[in-house]
């Protein structure tokens, strides 16, 4: 049996699937994975992306942070791809219980997924550090320099920057879903970003599926490994 047929059999036989995804799910919608294209940014920016996207850099150099953030992190024209749509469809059929994502682009919700746990937050929510008022991503994109609230406070994206901790409520929910899943599908992530990648350790089942273009540290423990484009692969399972 080939890997697509085996994947279809696993999905068809379960009504308790959890999906854990990363940047590879969004690159097919045209959103760049800044890790793999680090060299490009060095031509334009004085610091590597990991430095710019850190909590301390945001506080010290908010203008430089926002120059990078508007340019590279706000891809508001991106549309859901075949992977996002298939996951929403599986949830609507009662087969998929939750999407746990490291992405911050909101494409899962745009595709129709209801139970989406955003480990690293979302670009679509931004809040004033002074009064707590929220604004959307469009307001940030169309602002200049350091975006400020009407009260004068600096707006901060509701995303988890380097040096910041993950939201405990979202983490515990993600652990619960993974621990109780019949099938865990890991897709479009190299599983190198912690603590998010460590959540996979909570899976106790025997149907671990890894779908990724490159090798991951979990391949050796997986019951099925499918290498390739996640959108292409998921769209073939009917």
């Amino acid at each position: 049996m080939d890997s697509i047929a085996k994947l279809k059999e696993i999905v068809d036989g379960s009504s308790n699937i959890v999906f854990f995804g990363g940047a590879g799910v969004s690159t097919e919608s045209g959103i760049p994975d800044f890790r793999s294209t680090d060299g490009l940014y060095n031509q334009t920016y004085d610091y590597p992306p990991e430095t710019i996207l850190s909590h301390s850099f945001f506080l010290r150099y908010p203008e430089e942070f926002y120059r990078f953030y508007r340019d590279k992190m706000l891809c508001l024209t991106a549309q859901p791809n075949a992977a996002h749509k298939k996951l929403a469809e599986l949830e609507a059929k009662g087969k998929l219980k939750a999407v746990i994502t490291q992405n911050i682009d909101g494409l899962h919700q745009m595709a129709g997924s209801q139970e989406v746990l955003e480990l690293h937050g979302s670009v679509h929510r931004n809040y004033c550090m002074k009064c707590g008022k929220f604004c959307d991503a469009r307001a940030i994109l169309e602002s200049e320099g350091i975006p400020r609230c009407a009260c004068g406070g600096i707006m901060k994206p509701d995303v988890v920057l380097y040096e910041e901790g993950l939201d405990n409520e979202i983490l515990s929910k993600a652990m619960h879903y993974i621990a109780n899943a019949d099938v865990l599908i890991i897709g479009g992530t190299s599983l190198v970003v912690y603590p998010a990648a460590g959540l996979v350790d909570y899976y106790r089942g025997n149907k671990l599926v890894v779908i990724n273009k490159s090798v991951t540290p979990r391949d050796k423990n997986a019951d099925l490994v499918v290498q390739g484009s996640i959108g292409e692969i998921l769209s073939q399972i009917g």
Side-chain angles (χ1 to χ4, degrees):
M1 185 187 293
D2 75 5
S3 55
I4 300 291
K6 176 98 186 286
L7 176 61
K8 187 174 175 4
E9 183 181 84
I10 290 171
V11 169
D12 287 349
S14 177
S15 58
N16 184 6
I17 302 167
V18 169
F19 179 81
F20 180 90
V25 180
S26 292
T27 49
E28 291 175 35
S29 290
I31 292 179
D33 172 6
F34 67 79
R35 259 183 204 82
S36 60
T37 49
D38 196 5
L40 286 177
Y41 300 153
N42 289 336
Q43 299 161 19
T44 320
Y45 300 93
D46 297 332
Y47 305 90
E50 283 88 350
T51 301
I52 298 173
L53 296 173
S54 69
H55 180 79
S56 51
F57 191 93
F58 171 78
L59 294 179
R60 286 180 67 190
Y61 309 109
E63 193 157 358
E64 181 69 4
F65 169 89
Y66 270 113
R67 190 163 79 89
F68 179 88
Y69 184 80
R70 286 188 192 94
D71 197 17
K72 300 295 177 189
M73 310 302 285
L74 290 182
C75 305
L76 302 187
T77 54
Q79 293 297 312
N81 61 53
H84 297 107
K85 290 171 187 170
K86 176 57 70 176
L87 293 167
E89 185 188 308
L90 289 172
E91 185 186 24
K93 286 179 179 172
K95 300 182 79 58
L96 182 85
K97 296 299 177 213
V99 168
I100 300 164
T101 181
Q102 299 172 76
N103 298 333
I104 56 175
D105 47 51
L107 291 178
H108 285 292
Q109 291 95 326
M110 209 186 289
S113 287
Q114 301 296 312
E115 185 65 354
V116 181
L117 303 184
E118 296 173 313
L119 296 173
H120 296 149
S122 172
V123 298
H124 296 284
R125 296 184 303 271
N126 305 273
Y127 64 91
C128 172
M129 293 169 74
K130 193 172 169 187
C131 75
K133 189 179 171 186
F134 274 79
C135 77
D136 63 14
R138 176 69 50 195
I140 299 292
L141 187 64
E142 291 171 356
S143 66
E144 288 181 7
I146 303 166
R148 291 185 181 273
C149 176
C151 79
I154 294 176
M155 301 301 295
K156 183 184 184 294
D158 193 9
V159 300
V160 179
L161 300 175
Y162 289 99
E163 305 164 354
E164 293 179 345
L166 303 193
D167 182 285
N168 284 329
E169 195 181 326
I170 291 173
L171 267 182
S172 58
K173 260 179 115 172
M175 287 172 197
H176 175 80
Y177 275 121
I178 290 172
N180 292 286
D182 170 37
V183 176
L184 177 62
I185 301 175
I186 298 170
T189 171
S190 51
L191 293 171
V192 294
V193 177
Y194 280 81
L199 287 171
V200 178
D201 292 334
Y202 290 89
Y203 180 60
R204 301 197 267 261
N206 61 354
K207 298 187 194 80
L208 177 64
V209 178
V210 177
I211 306 170
N212 200 43
K213 285 183 175 171
S214 56
V215 173
T216 83
R218 300 286 172 163
D219 290 8
K220 59 184 183 296
N221 312 111
D223 301 280
L224 176 63
V225 177
V226 193
Q227 284 201 331
S229 150
I230 187 160
E232 215 171 279
I233 289 159
L234 288 183
S235 59
Q236 289 179 65
I237 63 173

